[in-house]
Amino acid sequence: MPVIKAQGTTEQVEKWYTAAKRHAIIGCYAQTELGHGSNVFGLKTTATFDNQTDEFVIHSPDLTATKWWIGGLGIASTHAVVQAQLIIAGKSYGPHLFIVPIRSPVDLKPCRGVKVGDIGPKAYGGFATTDNGYATFNHVRIPRENMLMKFAKVTKEGQYTPPVHNKLSYGSMVKLRVDIVTDAGWKLAKATTIAIRYCTVRRQFHNPPTLEPGTALESQVISYSSVQHRLIPLLATAYGLIITGEDLYGQFNTLMEQLESNNAKLLPEVHATSCALKSWSTRRSTDGIEECRKSMGGHGFSVFSGVSELFANFVASNTYEGDNFVLAQQVGRFLLKQLQNVVQGKTVTSETADYLYTLAEMGTTETFVFDQDVGQRILDPKVQLMIFSMRSARLVADLGQQLQNGRAWSDVNMECWAVNLAHAEYLVLKSMIKKVKWLQDNAEYTTLAPVFKTLTDMFCLSTLGYTSLATFLSTSTIHPSDLSKLNEKYRETISQLSIDAVALTDSFDFTVRELNSALGQVDGRAYEALCEAVAKNPINQKGETTYLNDMVLFILHRGNNMDYIKSSKL
């Protein structure tokens, strides 16, 4: 539906969006093929215009052109928005979008020329309720009006009018990536909520250790530094992603408004920003969800913890809507173009890349100098942004230097990955700092500013001193001698946030149903909830284990085991 709304004409939206909203049809987005995913230009499905009948002929020329992994296609969908190569009079005009009937909405039988089905179970049991499907098309004819023509158009005579930007049809993917960034934040927020609540309830050992018998309570797991250092930075990251996602939505909505008047100036920036944040957020979120599970010990491995399901359902985001490492290359290309503007003395055309100006101010080798107490200076938002700016700009400059030295583009993929991560982290920090300023300037929310400032500091310090330390050092952005002071401030900030950790997770306001976790109970009754969940397990219900019992008894009673059991009084 979002694709139709974004890419369809007023008439097409009226017809198809309205029908979908009523559930008179059920749709899906069919881009990925068996042989192609991230390389949209390599898609093989064709849409050939027949000017004799005023129709497009949708066709899968070989096995690899089979549409694959399409959510909702396996069982339910009656129609699909299909990405296919537009061909007119033997000439290809690249991928365009077409609404193609898949099954009859009357009896759900496949339409003529369409072969459709489900692709089967997914890894880790993820997306178990989603009918990911496949489809092939054997010269399926659709009316010319079924091509989404808000931007690109084909007349009855076969005349093609291109869009104002050749990647406008990718707008649907941009929207999906924007959604993923925010979703990554909320998924990580759920995992940190469950883990922090449970680690607050669970007690293990005494801190400090003691062998003295007594009735004193053991220490809360959350009180141990190894647990705090794993969970508190993830909590800050979750907040950062949610806030950054809101900013990205604003940028995307501005783009959509501009496109209404055929202004695509913002498209390259939004595309690159969504690529960087999608790849960074999905990696950080899924790694973080798994870290939350491990922080909970053995019970975290239970499906009733709710964390395993979060991981299983979200880990695929690292590859869908663009493989993360492929997206990183697009970010690299975008930033290199901006770097070229700086080198030529021109203006950087993207607000998200204005940090490249620091190359003129600080060069590529000068280390940032804390001119007073390191621990206090690093809390200054301007200092934080400067350090993240320097690191990002120098990584972009290094990428450009590598290419200038003769390295092939295919050989700098990991440099692009480093650039991508740094760029995304700069954007997240910038959004968090902007949110703090907004809270400070609005009387209604002023009291929230200090805690969000501490969350911002936590994100900055954990990124600077731990998750991305290597690139801050390799670019000479910070001096190794400053690390001990930075680490002191990092530990101090963790201690501050640990006190309010439960309250900060409660602020996400998840319902019991949304968390779906026995261990993340808001009332702290984790053990009771876990036992209740286990008791409801069908295998523990009377009569459910008859077949299994028969199998076990068969093993126990083989041969003369019955006599042995009786004589041995087992």
Side-chain angles (χ1 to χ4, degrees):
M1 290 174 69
V3 178
I4 294 173
K5 202 168 186 178
Q7 302 287 328
T9 63
T10 302
E11 295 76 18
Q12 288 173 325
V13 171
E14 175 63 29
K15 176 179 180 178
W16 297 107
Y17 188 88
T18 302
K21 194 173 182 179
R22 293 173 58 101
H23 293 155
I25 61 173
I26 297 175
C28 60
Y29 179 65
Q31 176 172 295
T32 301
E33 296 178 353
L34 189 60
H36 285 88
S38 299
N39 182 12
V40 181
F41 275 103
L43 295 177
K44 289 191 173 182
T45 302
T46 57
T48 305
F49 182 62
D50 183 346
N51 60 4
Q52 299 297 314
T53 61
D54 198 25
E55 294 175 316
F56 288 105
V57 181
I58 310 298
H59 184 61
S60 308
D62 59 35
L63 181 67
T64 64
T66 304
K67 292 298 181 182
W68 202 270
W69 280 112
I70 313 305
L73 182 61
I75 296 172
S77 291
T78 62
H79 291 70
V81 174
V82 176
Q83 276 272 21
Q85 302 286 353
L86 171 63
I87 298 174
I88 303 175
K91 180 181 178 180
S92 176
Y93 290 87
H96 287 68
L97 298 170
F98 303 84
I99 297 178
V100 182
I102 303 295
R103 298 179 178 91
S104 165
V106 177
D107 57 16
L108 281 186
K109 291 182 179 179
C111 297
R112 182 179 179 181
V114 178
K115 184 178 180 181
V116 62
D118 190 273
I119 66 169
K122 278 75 71 175
Y124 310 117
F127 284 93
T129 59
T130 301
D131 56 329
N132 294 87
Y134 69 86
T136 59
F137 306 101
N138 185 11
H139 298 95
V140 176
R141 289 181 171 269
I142 61 172
R144 178 174 55 86
E145 291 78 11
N146 279 29
M147 173 182 163
L148 295 181
M149 296 195 201
K150 183 173 185 176
F151 301 112
K153 296 176 175 59
V154 176
T155 67
K156 186 175 182 179
E157 295 74 30
Q159 294 297 313
Y160 176 72
T161 302
V164 292
H165 196 287
N166 63 356
K167 291 186 178 179
L168 271 179
S169 63
Y170 290 4
S172 53
M173 291 190 70
V174 172
K175 173 62 168 65
L176 293 171
R177 288 172 189 150
V178 170
D179 290 339
I180 288 172
V181 174
T182 303
D183 194 32
W186 286 110
K187 288 287 195 304
L188 184 57
K190 284 185 178 182
T192 54
T193 297
I194 294 169
I196 287 172
R197 285 180 179 176
Y198 175 68
C199 289
T200 302
V201 170
R202 187 166 176 80
R203 294 176 178 271
Q204 292 288 290
F205 307 108
H206 290 90
N207 188 19
T210 178
L211 296 178
E212 291 294 324
T215 57
L217 287 171
E218 294 176 274
S219 298
Q220 294 170 295
V221 171
I222 194 69
S223 69
Y224 292 97
S225 62
S226 62
V227 176
Q228 293 179 0
H229 284 244
R230 292 151 76 187
L231 294 181
I232 302 304
L234 292 177
L235 178 62
T237 300
Y239 270 96
L241 277 172
I242 292 168
I243 297 304
T244 306
E246 289 180 357
D247 285 348
L248 184 57
Y249 264 118
Q251 198 176 21
F252 177 78
N253 289 335
T254 300
L255 169 64
M256 289 295 102
E257 291 172 6
Q258 291 180 359
L259 289 178
E260 291 295 330
S261 57
N262 285 328
N263 178 2
K265 184 179 179 180
L266 198 57
L267 181 59
E269 180 175 352
V270 175
H271 172 68
T273 302
S274 66
C275 285
L277 290 173
K278 182 270 179 185
S279 54
W280 184 85
S281 66
T282 53
R283 171 62 72 92
R284 287 289 186 261
S285 182
T286 49
D287 285 354
I289 292 169
E290 173 63 2
E291 195 60 47
C292 287
R293 181 195 68 77
K294 290 187 286 188
S295 74
M296 297 165 71
H299 291 327
F301 194 62
S302 169
V303 70
F304 299 123
S305 75
V307 177
S308 61
E309 184 180 10
L310 281 173
F311 179 82
N313 285 336
F314 199 61
V315 69
S317 63
N318 285 271
T319 47
Y320 63 60
E321 305 310 331
D323 174 85
N324 285 351
F325 284 86
V326 174
L327 295 182
Q329 294 177 54
Q330 297 185 42
V331 176
R333 289 185 191 277
F334 171 78
L335 292 173
L336 285 174
K337 290 179 182 177
Q338 299 300 320
L339 177 63
Q340 191 173 29
N341 288 337
V342 173
V343 172
Q344 295 174 353
K346 299 178 182 178
T347 303
V348 170
T349 59
S350 166
E351 290 184 7
T352 58
D354 56 8
Y355 57 72
L356 291 171
Y357 288 125
T358 62
L359 292 171
E361 301 171 31
M362 303 290 292
T364 58
T365 58
E366 185 178 339
T367 301
F368 182 85
V369 177
F370 293 93
D371 54 11
Q372 50 183 291
D373 181 61
V374 174
Q376 288 305 310
R377 284 281 284 159
I378 193 59
L379 300 184
D380 184 340
K382 293 180 180 178
V383 171
Q384 294 174 347
L385 274 180
M386 174 57 77
I387 291 173
F388 276 60
S389 295
M390 290 170 60
R391 190 257 309 233
S392 296
R394 291 175 180 188
L395 287 171
V396 176
D398 178 67
L399 174 61
Q401 188 64 56
Q402 296 289 339
L403 293 168
Q404 201 170 39
N405 291 345
R407 288 182 65 184
W409 180 257
S410 60
D411 193 34
V412 293
N413 290 172
M414 296 314 296
E415 283 78 3
C416 286
W417 180 245
V419 165
N420 180 85
L421 297 183
H423 184 62
E425 287 162 356
Y426 166 80
L427 294 175
V428 174
L429 178 64
K430 189 175 183 180
S431 285
M432 295 182 79
I433 289 173
K434 187 175 78 171
K435 175 59 74 172
V436 173
K437 183 68 167 57
W438 184 87
L439 292 170
Q440 292 170 339
D441 293 343
N442 285 267
E444 185 179 356
Y445 303 106
T446 303
T447 55
L448 297 176
V451 68
F452 203 84
K453 173 65 170 73
T454 307
L455 285 166
T456 303
D457 294 337
M458 181 77 268
F459 175 78
C460 173
L461 289 163
S462 62
T463 304
L464 177 59
Y466 288 88
T467 55
S468 297
L469 174 61
T471 51
F472 282 103
L473 291 175
S474 67
T475 56
S476 299
T477 301
I478 60 172
H479 196 278
S481 63
D482 291 324
L483 289 179
S484 61
K485 290 293 184 181
L486 291 171
N487 191 47
E488 282 181 22
K489 184 55 65 174
Y490 165 75
R491 288 174 175 275
E492 181 184 313
T493 306
I494 279 196
S495 297
Q496 282 181 263
L497 287 174
S498 295
I499 297 171
D500 297 322
V502 172
L504 285 167
T505 59
D506 288 346
S507 296
F508 292 129
D509 200 27
F510 292 120
T511 65
V512 172
R513 181 175 181 179
E514 286 173 330
L515 276 188
N516 191 29
S517 168
L519 302 183
Q521 295 293 304
V522 68
D523 60 4
R525 295 171 62 83
Y527 294 136
E528 292 86 345
L530 181 58
C531 289
E532 288 173 11
V534 168
K536 293 176 182 177
N537 187 355
I539 203 170
N540 290 325
Q541 303 301 311
K542 187 176 181 180
E544 291 293 325
T545 59
T546 303
Y547 175 69
L548 294 175
N549 287 345
D550 289 344
M551 292 179 65
V552 175
L553 289 172
F554 174 76
I555 295 171
L556 287 169
H557 298 166
R558 280 183 300 184
N560 62 350
N561 273 0
M562 278 296 289
D563 294 335
Y564 177 76
I565 291 170
K566 291 177 181 179
S567 63
S568 301
K569 298 182 180 180
L570 299 176

